[in-house]
Amino acid sequence: MIEPDPEIIHSGLSRMITIDGITVDVSIYRLEEDVEWTLEVINDRGTSIAWQETFKTDEDAYRAFQLTVVQEGMQTFLDDADGDNIIEFPTTH
C-alpha cells in the first residue's frame, strides 16, 4: 500500500513583508509528522532562501528572519547582478 504524502502545516506567521521597498514572502512550515519548523524567504524574482537549520517553534523561525533583517538588511534577500549569490545564514541555536 502506498503511504500518502504528509501534509504541510503552514504557520500563521507566514506572510508577505515589505521593508525598505523590498517585498519578500516569509514562509514558515513543517510536515505534519515533524515538530520543528522550516524558514524560507522567497524574493520577488522567485529565488528561495531557506535556512538549513530548523526551529523549535514558528516564533523562533520568525525571530530568525527579523534578526537577519536587523543585522543584514532586506537587501540580503535580493539576487546579485549575475544571479549566482549564495547566502550563508548563521546558526542561531
Side-chain angles (χ1 to χ4, degrees):
M1 182 169 181
I2 297 174
E3 294 281 325
D5 290 335
E7 187 170 336
I8 296 174
I9 309 297
H10 293 272
S11 167
L13 296 173
S14 296
R15 63 192 71 195
M16 297 292 288
I17 296 178
T18 301
I19 301 173
D20 298 332
I22 299 170
T23 301
V24 296
D25 181 5
V26 177
S27 185
I28 301 168
Y29 56 89
R30 65 178 176 84
L31 296 178
E32 66 182 333
E33 60 201 27
D34 291 342
V35 295
E36 295 207 338
W37 295 86
T38 297
L39 171 60
E40 179 179 16
V41 176
I42 303 167
N43 69 22
D44 64 346
R45 297 182 86 184
T47 302
S48 169
I49 299 99
W51 275 244
Q52 290 184 349
E53 68 178 304
T54 56
F55 301 89
K56 291 182 193 262
T57 68
D58 56 345
E59 290 93 357
D60 288 343
Y62 191 75
R63 277 193 291 275
F65 165 75
Q66 291 176 311
L67 182 62
T68 300
V69 171
V70 168
Q71 292 177 341
E72 306 290 332
M74 286 292 284
Q75 69 278 2
T76 198
F77 300 113
L78 297 177
D79 293 344
D80 63 6
D82 55 14
D84 66 353
N85 59 328
I86 297 175
I87 304 166
E88 291 286 333
F89 288 98
T91 301
T92 57
H93 15 230

